[in-house]
Amino acid sequence: MSRVARIARRYWVVTLTLAVGLTGIVLALTGAGQVVPWVFGGYALGVAAWQGVGMVRDLLRGHWGLDVLAVTAIIATVLVGEYLAALIVVLMLTGGEALEDYANRRAKRELDALLTRAPQLAHRVEGDRIVDIRADEVRPGDVLIVRPAELVPVDAVLSSSETSMDESSITGESVPVEKRAGDEMLSGSVNGQVAVEIVATATAADSQYQQIVALVKGAAASKAPVVRLADRYAVPFTVFALLLGGVAWWLSGDPVRFAEVLVLATPCPLLIAAPVAFIGGMSRAARNGIIVKGGGVLEQLAAARTVVFDKTGTLTHGTPELVAVRAEPGFGADELLGLVASAEQYSSHVLATSMIDAARERRIPLVEAEQAREQTAGGVVARVGGRDVVVGKFDFVADHAPDAHQTRIEPGELAVYAAVDGRFAGALVASDRLRDNAGATLARLRELGIRQTMMLTGDSRATAAHVAAELGITRVHAECLPADKVHDVASLTERPVIMVGDGVNDAPVLAAADVGIAMGARGATAASESAAAVILVDDISRTAKAVEIGRDTVRIALQSIWLGIGVSVGLMIVAAFGLIPATAGALLQEVVDLATILAALRALGGRRDAAAAAESRAPATVATH
């Protein structure tokens, strides 16, 4: 009962309208029926005046809304004595707003879940006691306790031996993840059944969950162009309805005919259907591990004609493994690897981590550089142990060592070159595997109507060409700088263009594309900040899922808009011939509103996603003889 009371209070105008209607019934049954027209008419005109104030304000701001028709319909029905129809129009108007609010709440459930579950408290270890503090008071290096089933308050590293974590709110993966000492703990994850000790590595504001919440807030506050397009239907629809009603009145000579047309010309579907569909689409995307920063992004995804991919970390796993050290005469293999790894400590490139890990595996000590600087998309120049070390691409190293020469690499391999004290010291060869589902993702994108595919990478032409041929990518630009990527994307004619990347060097081109999609599963980077959508799961197939959701959402939004327009126009024409009484017309319009909203809610896509998930889990059928 408390839930009913809560809904009644939230939608108090609807409650009041129903109460007025019930009062009219009681008055009619008690012999005071002559008072009912005054009660219904007076209340309807009062609501019309209240709505009229908002309508005038909108008109003064240059916004012509569909509420003009609703207010006109209320006044017209009262003036021709159709008091019950007037009350039903009021119920339709206020009930439509209530339905919109309810539908929005339903559609935003997954988005709201992210916002409401943001970690609030942390348990900090201070000496021999545990102190409860606000999550935003945690500082890197603080030792925290996370109790069973509690949220991890900030990004941290596990110092206890092991635990299992539910990361579904972050990554969308429902299977618990086993964590061991030293593993990364993402804020917003839910701890398992054992209390654990963690060491904070970031503040709450800089942690993964808060970054996601910030993206969600921006997404929920947006309004898609197609929704504004629905708003623009207001002027022609209003003019058409008034003209049709006027013609019906003129031909019949009966002013009631004008009111009968207008009660069917109150198209709440136009105002409600598109926003509900787009919020539902964003909610569906969030449920699939994709944060879309606006309804307009869904519209661009739906219309996309070209998709561009970064290679390393996007089409490949992004964790190359060292396979060969080819030192020049005068340099030992371990010596060269040690110098390169020491210099690469100051690089943000994914290959730097591979070199450092390889050196540590071989127990080669790393030396702290006396000075170091990184040139974006080029390499690193460092002073290590009194020696000038240059590490990076061939052209970059050749500028510092004229005797440099390129090494032979197999398809799928890449080389890092090094110079020491102005001499070419050798090359280190690494191999990066393609993602298992990269090919299936490209195939799915082609099924969705995207014909143009392109790969932009800073890697060598041979490696890039091999990857592109294996995946069926139509265009390749290798050995390019961030500025080259921006230029290439800007020059594409088949638009809108989707750009998918993951690294800091992808941030400019992600911002320049019509839709930038960041593979942001590893945390908030410059890429995810500049992108229009962020994939929270380390899964390239979600790119195709984002396009699918965008196309479904726009299709459903437009279907819902035209459903509302088509049915309303059809009923208005019938009413113009006097075949639908005003009261019946008002009731029919309520049914149209409800049907249109339910149609828009299909954008939530729960059944489609569940069916797809079931299909992917279904075991393959083996034929027997």
Side-chain angles (χ1 to χ4, degrees), residues 61-85:
R61 287 196 295 264
H63 180 261
W64 181 282
L66 290 160
D67 48 3
V68 172
L69 285 174
V71 172
T72 306
I74 292 171
I75 295 172
T77 48
V78 171
L79 291 178
V80 299
E82 294 284 352
Y83 302 107
L84 180 56

PDB file of all heavy atoms in Angstrom, residues 61-85:
ATOM      1  N   ARG A  61      10.350  31.749 -25.511  1.00  0.00           N
ATOM      2  CA  ARG A  61      11.725  31.260 -25.706  1.00  0.00           C
ATOM      3  C   ARG A  61      11.929  30.716 -27.114  1.00  0.00           C
ATOM      4  O   ARG A  61      12.978  30.177 -27.435  1.00  0.00           O
ATOM      5  CB  ARG A  61      12.044  30.163 -24.676  1.00  0.00           C
ATOM      6  CG  ARG A  61      12.239  30.678 -23.262  1.00  0.00           C
ATOM      7  CD  ARG A  61      12.931  29.627 -22.404  1.00  0.00           C
ATOM      8  NE  ARG A  61      12.087  28.448 -22.227  1.00  0.00           N
ATOM      9  CZ  ARG A  61      11.297  28.244 -21.182  1.00  0.00           C
ATOM     10  NH1 ARG A  61      11.227  29.160 -20.209  1.00  0.00           N
ATOM     11  NH2 ARG A  61      10.564  27.155 -21.079  1.00  0.00           N
ATOM     12  N   GLY A  62      10.876  30.827 -27.955  1.00  0.00           N
ATOM     13  CA  GLY A  62      10.995  30.376 -29.334  1.00  0.00           C
ATOM     14  C   GLY A  62      10.724  28.910 -29.542  1.00  0.00           C
ATOM     15  O   GLY A  62      11.044  28.355 -30.594  1.00  0.00           O
ATOM     16  N   HIS A  63      10.113  28.239 -28.545  1.00  0.00           N
ATOM     17  CA  HIS A  63       9.832  26.817 -28.665  1.00  0.00           C
ATOM     18  C   HIS A  63       8.331  26.609 -28.800  1.00  0.00           C
ATOM     19  O   HIS A  63       7.567  26.887 -27.880  1.00  0.00           O
ATOM     20  CB  HIS A  63      10.358  26.060 -27.436  1.00  0.00           C
ATOM     21  CG  HIS A  63      10.091  24.580 -27.506  1.00  0.00           C
ATOM     22  ND1 HIS A  63       9.042  23.980 -26.860  1.00  0.00           N
ATOM     23  CD2 HIS A  63      10.746  23.591 -28.163  1.00  0.00           C
ATOM     24  CE1 HIS A  63       9.057  22.676 -27.091  1.00  0.00           C
ATOM     25  NE2 HIS A  63      10.078  22.422 -27.889  1.00  0.00           N
ATOM     26  N   TRP A  64       7.926  26.109 -29.968  1.00  0.00           N
ATOM     27  CA  TRP A  64       6.511  25.860 -30.245  1.00  0.00           C
ATOM     28  C   TRP A  64       6.232  24.414 -29.885  1.00  0.00           C
ATOM     29  O   TRP A  64       6.644  23.493 -30.570  1.00  0.00           O
ATOM     30  CB  TRP A  64       6.220  26.120 -31.722  1.00  0.00           C
ATOM     31  CG  TRP A  64       4.783  25.916 -32.102  1.00  0.00           C
ATOM     32  CD1 TRP A  64       4.163  24.732 -32.319  1.00  0.00           C
ATOM     33  CD2 TRP A  64       3.798  26.921 -32.317  1.00  0.00           C
ATOM     34  NE1 TRP A  64       2.850  24.924 -32.659  1.00  0.00           N
ATOM     35  CE2 TRP A  64       2.596  26.271 -32.672  1.00  0.00           C
ATOM     36  CE3 TRP A  64       3.807  28.317 -32.254  1.00  0.00           C
ATOM     37  CZ2 TRP A  64       1.422  26.953 -32.957  1.00  0.00           C
ATOM     38  CZ3 TRP A  64       2.634  28.988 -32.547  1.00  0.00           C
ATOM     39  CH2 TRP A  64       1.458  28.323 -32.883  1.00  0.00           C
ATOM     40  N   GLY A  65       5.536  24.172 -28.784  1.00  0.00           N
ATOM     41  CA  GLY A  65       5.312  22.811 -28.310  1.00  0.00           C
ATOM     42  C   GLY A  65       3.950  22.269 -28.679  1.00  0.00           C
ATOM     43  O   GLY A  65       3.028  22.999 -29.046  1.00  0.00           O
ATOM     44  N   LEU A  66       3.829  20.948 -28.568  1.00  0.00           N
ATOM     45  CA  LEU A  66       2.569  20.291 -28.868  1.00  0.00           C
ATOM     46  C   LEU A  66       1.515  20.512 -27.788  1.00  0.00           C
ATOM     47  O   LEU A  66       0.355  20.153 -27.979  1.00  0.00           O
ATOM     48  CB  LEU A  66       2.814  18.793 -29.062  1.00  0.00           C
ATOM     49  CG  LEU A  66       3.570  18.453 -30.345  1.00  0.00           C
ATOM     50  CD1 LEU A  66       4.188  17.071 -30.246  1.00  0.00           C
ATOM     51  CD2 LEU A  66       2.659  18.532 -31.547  1.00  0.00           C
ATOM     52  N   ASP A  67       1.905  21.092 -26.636  1.00  0.00           N
ATOM     53  CA  ASP A  67       0.912  21.377 -25.595  1.00  0.00           C
ATOM     54  C   ASP A  67      -0.066  22.461 -26.041  1.00  0.00           C
ATOM     55  O   ASP A  67      -1.118  22.642 -25.436  1.00  0.00           O
ATOM     56  CB  ASP A  67       1.593  21.777 -24.280  1.00  0.00           C
ATOM     57  CG  ASP A  67       2.677  22.826 -24.477  1.00  0.00           C
ATOM     58  OD1 ASP A  67       2.865  23.284 -25.625  1.00  0.00           O
ATOM     59  OD2 ASP A  67       3.332  23.177 -23.485  1.00  0.00           O
ATOM     60  N   VAL A  68       0.257  23.191 -27.116  1.00  0.00           N
ATOM     61  CA  VAL A  68      -0.694  24.158 -27.686  1.00  0.00           C
ATOM     62  C   VAL A  68      -1.989  23.445 -28.056  1.00  0.00           C
ATOM     63  O   VAL A  68      -3.091  23.912 -27.790  1.00  0.00           O
ATOM     64  CB  VAL A  68      -0.093  24.848 -28.927  1.00  0.00           C
ATOM     65  CG1 VAL A  68      -1.146  25.707 -29.624  1.00  0.00           C
ATOM     66  CG2 VAL A  68       1.116  25.690 -28.548  1.00  0.00           C
ATOM     67  N   LEU A  69      -1.861  22.271 -28.668  1.00  0.00           N
ATOM     68  CA  LEU A  69      -3.038  21.498 -29.056  1.00  0.00           C
ATOM     69  C   LEU A  69      -3.821  21.021 -27.844  1.00  0.00           C
ATOM     70  O   LEU A  69      -5.049  21.036 -27.843  1.00  0.00           O
ATOM     71  CB  LEU A  69      -2.611  20.294 -29.909  1.00  0.00           C
ATOM     72  CG  LEU A  69      -2.194  20.594 -31.348  1.00  0.00           C
ATOM     73  CD1 LEU A  69      -1.655  19.333 -32.010  1.00  0.00           C
ATOM     74  CD2 LEU A  69      -3.374  21.137 -32.136  1.00  0.00           C
ATOM     75  N   ALA A  70      -3.094  20.565 -26.810  1.00  0.00           N
ATOM     76  CA  ALA A  70      -3.777  20.063 -25.618  1.00  0.00           C
ATOM     77  C   ALA A  70      -4.595  21.166 -24.952  1.00  0.00           C
ATOM     78  O   ALA A  70      -5.764  20.956 -24.593  1.00  0.00           O
ATOM     79  CB  ALA A  70      -2.747  19.498 -24.643  1.00  0.00           C
ATOM     80  N   VAL A  71      -3.990  22.334 -24.779  1.00  0.00           N
ATOM     81  CA  VAL A  71      -4.703  23.455 -24.138  1.00  0.00           C
ATOM     82  C   VAL A  71      -5.896  23.868 -25.000  1.00  0.00           C
ATOM     83  O   VAL A  71      -7.005  24.109 -24.482  1.00  0.00           O
ATOM     84  CB  VAL A  71      -3.734  24.636 -23.928  1.00  0.00           C
ATOM     85  CG1 VAL A  71      -4.502  25.869 -23.438  1.00  0.00           C
ATOM     86  CG2 VAL A  71      -2.649  24.257 -22.920  1.00  0.00           C
ATOM     87  N   THR A  72      -5.697  23.945 -26.311  1.00  0.00           N
ATOM     88  CA  THR A  72      -6.805  24.309 -27.214  1.00  0.00           C
ATOM     89  C   THR A  72      -7.929  23.282 -27.128  1.00  0.00           C
ATOM     90  O   THR A  72      -9.124  23.625 -27.129  1.00  0.00           O
ATOM     91  CB  THR A  72      -6.298  24.418 -28.664  1.00  0.00           C
ATOM     92  OG1 THR A  72      -5.190  25.309 -28.715  1.00  0.00           O
ATOM     93  CG2 THR A  72      -7.401  24.925 -29.584  1.00  0.00           C
ATOM     94  N   ALA A  73      -7.567  21.985 -27.082  1.00  0.00           N
ATOM     95  CA  ALA A  73      -8.574  20.929 -27.004  1.00  0.00           C
ATOM     96  C   ALA A  73      -9.380  21.024 -25.709  1.00  0.00           C
ATOM     97  O   ALA A  73     -10.605  20.836 -25.717  1.00  0.00           O
ATOM     98  CB  ALA A  73      -7.899  19.564 -27.108  1.00  0.00           C
ATOM     99  N   ILE A  74      -8.732  21.312 -24.603  1.00  0.00           N
ATOM    100  CA  ILE A  74      -9.439  21.437 -23.312  1.00  0.00           C
ATOM    101  C   ILE A  74     -10.441  22.589 -23.374  1.00  0.00           C
ATOM    102  O   ILE A  74     -11.617  22.437 -23.003  1.00  0.00           O
ATOM    103  CB  ILE A  74      -8.427  21.655 -22.165  1.00  0.00           C
ATOM    104  CG1 ILE A  74      -7.582  20.393 -21.948  1.00  0.00           C
ATOM    105  CG2 ILE A  74      -9.163  22.027 -20.870  1.00  0.00           C
ATOM    106  CD1 ILE A  74      -6.413  20.586 -20.996  1.00  0.00           C
ATOM    107  N   ILE A  75      -9.979  23.738 -23.849  1.00  0.00           N
ATOM    108  CA  ILE A  75     -10.866  24.915 -23.920  1.00  0.00           C
ATOM    109  C   ILE A  75     -12.036  24.648 -24.871  1.00  0.00           C
ATOM    110  O   ILE A  75     -13.198  24.950 -24.569  1.00  0.00           O
ATOM    111  CB  ILE A  75     -10.070  26.156 -24.363  1.00  0.00           C
ATOM    112  CG1 ILE A  75      -9.018  26.514 -23.295  1.00  0.00           C
ATOM    113  CG2 ILE A  75     -10.996  27.335 -24.606  1.00  0.00           C
ATOM    114  CD1 ILE A  75      -8.054  27.595 -23.729  1.00  0.00           C
ATOM    115  N   ALA A  76     -11.724  24.031 -26.035  1.00  0.00           N
ATOM    116  CA  ALA A  76     -12.769  23.772 -27.033  1.00  0.00           C
ATOM    117  C   ALA A  76     -13.837  22.832 -26.489  1.00  0.00           C
ATOM    118  O   ALA A  76     -15.046  23.055 -26.683  1.00  0.00           O
ATOM    119  CB  ALA A  76     -12.145  23.196 -28.295  1.00  0.00           C
ATOM    120  N   THR A  77     -13.431  21.768 -25.816  1.00  0.00           N
ATOM    121  CA  THR A  77     -14.414  20.804 -25.300  1.00  0.00           C
ATOM    122  C   THR A  77     -15.279  21.413 -24.205  1.00  0.00           C
ATOM    123  O   THR A  77     -16.476  21.110 -24.103  1.00  0.00           O
ATOM    124  CB  THR A  77     -13.703  19.543 -24.767  1.00  0.00           C
ATOM    125  OG1 THR A  77     -12.608  19.921 -23.916  1.00  0.00           O
ATOM    126  CG2 THR A  77     -13.173  18.687 -25.903  1.00  0.00           C
ATOM    127  N   VAL A  78     -14.701  22.284 -23.393  1.00  0.00           N
ATOM    128  CA  VAL A  78     -15.506  22.948 -22.359  1.00  0.00           C
ATOM    129  C   VAL A  78     -16.519  23.888 -23.005  1.00  0.00           C
ATOM    130  O   VAL A  78     -17.706  23.920 -22.618  1.00  0.00           O
ATOM    131  CB  VAL A  78     -14.602  23.717 -21.373  1.00  0.00           C
ATOM    132  CG1 VAL A  78     -15.446  24.594 -20.423  1.00  0.00           C
ATOM    133  CG2 VAL A  78     -13.751  22.746 -20.550  1.00  0.00           C
ATOM    134  N   LEU A  79     -16.077  24.636 -24.008  1.00  0.00           N
ATOM    135  CA  LEU A  79     -16.967  25.616 -24.638  1.00  0.00           C
ATOM    136  C   LEU A  79     -18.143  24.962 -25.367  1.00  0.00           C
ATOM    137  O   LEU A  79     -19.230  25.541 -25.447  1.00  0.00           O
ATOM    138  CB  LEU A  79     -16.173  26.481 -25.623  1.00  0.00           C
ATOM    139  CG  LEU A  79     -15.164  27.456 -24.991  1.00  0.00           C
ATOM    140  CD1 LEU A  79     -14.405  28.207 -26.073  1.00  0.00           C
ATOM    141  CD2 LEU A  79     -15.871  28.448 -24.067  1.00  0.00           C
ATOM    142  N   VAL A  80     -17.930  23.737 -25.911  1.00  0.00           N
ATOM    143  CA  VAL A  80     -19.041  23.077 -26.622  1.00  0.00           C
ATOM    144  C   VAL A  80     -19.828  22.143 -25.707  1.00  0.00           C
ATOM    145  O   VAL A  80     -20.707  21.408 -26.161  1.00  0.00           O
ATOM    146  CB  VAL A  80     -18.525  22.278 -27.848  1.00  0.00           C
ATOM    147  CG1 VAL A  80     -17.836  23.204 -28.831  1.00  0.00           C
ATOM    148  CG2 VAL A  80     -17.597  21.137 -27.428  1.00  0.00           C
ATOM    149  N   GLY A  81     -19.501  22.166 -24.404  1.00  0.00           N
ATOM    150  CA  GLY A  81     -20.277  21.386 -23.442  1.00  0.00           C
ATOM    151  C   GLY A  81     -19.858  19.938 -23.294  1.00  0.00           C
ATOM    152  O   GLY A  81     -20.560  19.152 -22.647  1.00  0.00           O
ATOM    153  N   GLU A  82     -18.697  19.533 -23.846  1.00  0.00           N
ATOM    154  CA  GLU A  82     -18.205  18.163 -23.692  1.00  0.00           C
ATOM    155  C   GLU A  82     -17.291  18.102 -22.466  1.00  0.00           C
ATOM    156  O   GLU A  82     -16.074  17.962 -22.562  1.00  0.00           O
ATOM    157  CB  GLU A  82     -17.451  17.733 -24.963  1.00  0.00           C
ATOM    158  CG  GLU A  82     -18.309  17.618 -26.201  1.00  0.00           C
ATOM    159  CD  GLU A  82     -19.161  16.352 -26.178  1.00  0.00           C
ATOM    160  OE1 GLU A  82     -18.973  15.504 -25.290  1.00  0.00           O
ATOM    161  OE2 GLU A  82     -20.022  16.225 -27.060  1.00  0.00           O
ATOM    162  N   TYR A  83     -17.932  18.190 -21.283  1.00  0.00           N
ATOM    163  CA  TYR A  83     -17.160  18.322 -20.050  1.00  0.00           C
ATOM    164  C   TYR A  83     -16.398  17.035 -19.702  1.00  0.00           C
ATOM    165  O   TYR A  83     -15.262  17.095 -19.209  1.00  0.00           O
ATOM    166  CB  TYR A  83     -18.078  18.704 -18.891  1.00  0.00           C
ATOM    167  CG  TYR A  83     -18.833  19.982 -19.137  1.00  0.00           C
ATOM    168  CD1 TYR A  83     -20.202  19.983 -19.415  1.00  0.00           C
ATOM    169  CD2 TYR A  83     -18.169  21.209 -19.122  1.00  0.00           C
ATOM    170  CE1 TYR A  83     -20.894  21.163 -19.652  1.00  0.00           C
ATOM    171  CE2 TYR A  83     -18.851  22.397 -19.361  1.00  0.00           C
ATOM    172  CZ  TYR A  83     -20.207  22.364 -19.632  1.00  0.00           C
ATOM    173  OH  TYR A  83     -20.887  23.536 -19.882  1.00  0.00           O
ATOM    174  N   LEU A  84     -17.012  15.885 -19.944  1.00  0.00           N
ATOM    175  CA  LEU A  84     -16.322  14.628 -19.654  1.00  0.00           C
ATOM    176  C   LEU A  84     -15.106  14.461 -20.565  1.00  0.00           C
ATOM    177  O   LEU A  84     -14.032  14.038 -20.124  1.00  0.00           O
ATOM    178  CB  LEU A  84     -17.286  13.449 -19.837  1.00  0.00           C
ATOM    179  CG  LEU A  84     -16.692  12.063 -19.559  1.00  0.00           C
ATOM    180  CD1 LEU A  84     -16.110  11.983 -18.153  1.00  0.00           C
ATOM    181  CD2 LEU A  84     -17.750  10.969 -19.774  1.00  0.00           C
ATOM    182  N   ALA A  85     -15.265  14.832 -21.847  1.00  0.00           N
ATOM    183  CA  ALA A  85     -14.130  14.773 -22.775  1.00  0.00           C
ATOM    184  C   ALA A  85     -13.015  15.708 -22.318  1.00  0.00           C
ATOM    185  O   ALA A  85     -11.821  15.377 -22.418  1.00  0.00           O
ATOM    186  CB  ALA A  85     -14.583  15.141 -24.189  1.00  0.00           C
TER     187      ALA A  85
END
